[in-house]
Amino acid sequence: MSEEVKAAGWDAIDNAMEAIYGKQEPKHYGTVISYSLGGPDPLDGISAYQSETPGLHWHIVTYGFSEIYEKETDNPEVSGFGFELTFRLKKEEGEEEPPAWALNLLQNLGRYVFNSGNVFKNGDYMDANGPICLESDTALTALAFITDSELGTIETENGQVQFLQMVGITNDELEAMQTWNTRGVLSASSPYMPAFITDLKRDSLLNHADVSQKVDEGREREGSNTGFLFNDNLSWTPEKKGLFRKKPAMLTLGAKQTETISKVLRGRLLKGKALTLAGPDIVIAIEPGEKSEYAMEKDKVRLILDEQSTIELSDKLIPKEGVAELFSFEQLAVKIVKTYIKDNEGNVVQVIG
């Protein structure tokens, strides 16, 4: 890097890593053409350090979610998006460099953040809809984000930067995080995943009875922290007059998320909390109440469910194509449609429902 370019943010990340690894020279992967000039990779660089604690792994860190050069954003308290990602990946025998798929994954997450403006926070999760390492048979198909225990949060000349560690998780671990919370599930799993090192070869940690029990107890005690779920197939059709009776309003959902929505619905509404479902064209705010009813707005539905209707709707959310009316709330029916899982080239690789 040229000495003429002020890189206080970059230096601050280097200093944080040096505090852990001393003078170890990392494997560094820079970007040839910057994103602002039309290059394909939004992150300016990625470095990988070799760590032996608590087991041999790559400790990878990004440069670019925060402001690594001059201050450009208006908020003096936060640098850029306010975070950098880290990734602790088990180092395989004979590996001299971190695998390319891990670097590509971080750049893909960079594209997601830069294009959408959505940022990751401690406790977030993301469904990858397939193996996090493409074309592998790993059971890890989602990601969780938690504060990196060694790096934490630092202050730079450009503002605060939090180091968020990305953790590969299985589909049932993702569901457990949705129906309880991310930090709780990771804490329960920590005896079997020290430092939250991602190991592509591992099975679900919920196979351990003690982990599963802690998750069940936490979910029952606290309910779900997930207040928002997106469903590609979400739609709403209001009540219609029929020949002999009104046709109930129709809530349509994709089959892939029905079981998760069922559990989150119970874990929210039965604990007095609301749940928002969002789709491409509609938002449905589901709230607990004494009487089941709904109100329509332009692009939003406010759906109030009493305890009986909440339990009945939850019971009817199964991953199978079909329509079911609610006996406890005759103005509402639920329709489940097939979910088509596609690969990066748009080919259908799985049908759910």
Side-chain angles (χ1 to χ4, degrees):
M1 292 174 53
S2 170
E3 292 183 357
E4 298 176 2
V5 178
K6 183 179 180 183
W10 190 297
D11 292 341
I13 297 171
D14 280 349
N15 291 338
M17 301 305 291
E18 185 176 325
I20 300 172
Y21 296 105
K23 296 300 181 181
Q24 181 187 145
E25 190 70 27
K27 302 286 184 179
H28 184 74
Y29 306 87
T31 300
V32 178
I33 303 175
S34 72
Y35 203 56
S36 61
L37 296 178
D41 297 327
L43 302 178
D44 289 68
I46 299 174
S47 286
Y49 293 79
Q50 295 186 49
S51 177
E52 297 181 357
T53 306
L56 192 60
H57 67 278
W58 296 106
H59 192 183
I60 306 171
V61 63
T62 63
Y63 295 76
F65 288 106
S66 63
E67 292 165 297
I68 56 178
Y69 302 116
E70 298 285 350
K71 180 70 179 175
E72 296 180 355
T73 58
D74 296 331
N75 188 348
E77 302 297 321
V78 177
S79 176
F81 290 110
F83 70 93
E84 291 291 350
L85 289 179
T86 71
F87 189 32
R88 295 178 185 268
L89 180 63
K90 183 178 179 181
K91 187 175 183 291
E92 299 298 333
E93 188 175 346
E95 267 187 348
E96 297 297 326
E97 303 205 11
W101 70 263
L103 309 181
N104 291 334
L105 177 58
L106 288 165
Q107 289 288 6
N108 284 337
L109 291 176
R111 278 183 274 276
Y112 166 76
V113 171
F114 277 72
N115 293 335
S116 69
N118 297 329
V119 300
F120 296 115
K121 301 183 294 296
N122 181 24
D124 281 352
Y125 49 73
M126 170 181 276
D127 190 348
N129 288 318
I132 62 170
C133 174
L134 295 177
E135 299 180 0
S136 73
D137 60 356
T138 181
L140 306 184
T141 58
L143 299 166
F145 300 88
I146 193 166
T147 303
D148 189 300
S149 59
E150 281 191 295
L151 291 166
T153 300
I154 61 172
E155 298 291 340
T156 77
E157 288 186 19
N158 295 330
Q160 192 175 82
V161 178
Q162 182 180 38
F163 291 97
L164 284 179
Q165 183 179 336
M166 180 174 74
V167 184
I169 57 174
T170 64
N171 187 63
D172 59 346
E173 291 164 359
L174 170 65
E175 184 184 272
M177 292 175 184
Q178 292 170 323
T179 56
W180 183 24
N181 67 73
T182 299
R183 290 183 290 276
V185 175
L186 288 177
S187 177
S189 305
S190 59
Y192 304 98
M193 188 168 52
F196 305 125
I197 296 170
T198 294
D199 179 0
L200 290 179
K201 296 177 182 178
R202 75 169 178 85
D203 294 325
S204 171
L205 298 177
L206 293 173
N207 292 336
H208 297 280
D210 56 334
V211 175
S212 182
Q213 181 180 346
K214 287 179 181 177
V215 170
D216 288 341
E217 290 173 350
R219 182 164 45 207
E220 180 65 27
R221 181 178 62 251
E222 302 167 13
S224 171
N225 268 15
T226 300
F228 180 95
L229 288 171
F230 184 85
N231 189 283
D232 285 328
N233 302 105
L234 181 72
S235 66
W236 178 272
T237 306
E239 281 182 282
K240 294 180 180 178
K241 288 185 178 179
L243 187 59
F244 299 106
R245 71 180 183 98
K246 285 185 177 180
K247 292 184 178 179
M250 186 74 71
L251 168 64
T252 300
L253 295 165
K256 183 179 186 293
Q257 274 194 307
T258 51
E259 291 180 308
T260 298
I261 294 174
S262 171
K263 293 176 181 178
V264 173
L265 191 67
R266 286 176 179 259
R268 297 288 296 181
L269 270 67
L270 298 183
K271 298 290 184 180
K273 305 174 185 177
L275 170 64
T276 297
L277 302 179
D281 304 305
I282 191 74
V283 171
I284 301 176
I286 309 177
E287 305 169 12
E290 295 297 321
K291 179 185 176 183
S292 295
E293 56 187 345
Y294 74 88
M296 295 280 301
E297 299 177 12
K298 185 179 179 182
D299 297 318
K300 183 177 179 180
V301 177
R302 183 167 177 253
L303 177 61
I304 299 174
L305 298 177
D306 61 21
E307 183 175 334
Q308 187 178 0
S309 297
T310 298
I311 293 171
E312 185 182 1
L313 176 58
S314 175
D315 289 341
K316 292 185 184 300
L317 294 180
I318 57 175
K320 185 178 181 181
E321 187 177 39
V323 175
E325 295 188 12
L326 269 65
F327 297 107
S328 59
F329 185 21
E330 294 182 354
Q331 290 76 38
L332 181 64
V334 60
K335 181 179 181 180
I336 308 300
V337 298
K338 287 183 170 69
T339 298
Y340 297 91
I341 305 297
K342 298 179 181 180
D343 61 19
N344 287 344
E345 298 176 352
N347 302 309
V348 176
V349 294
Q350 185 182 5
V351 179
I352 302 173

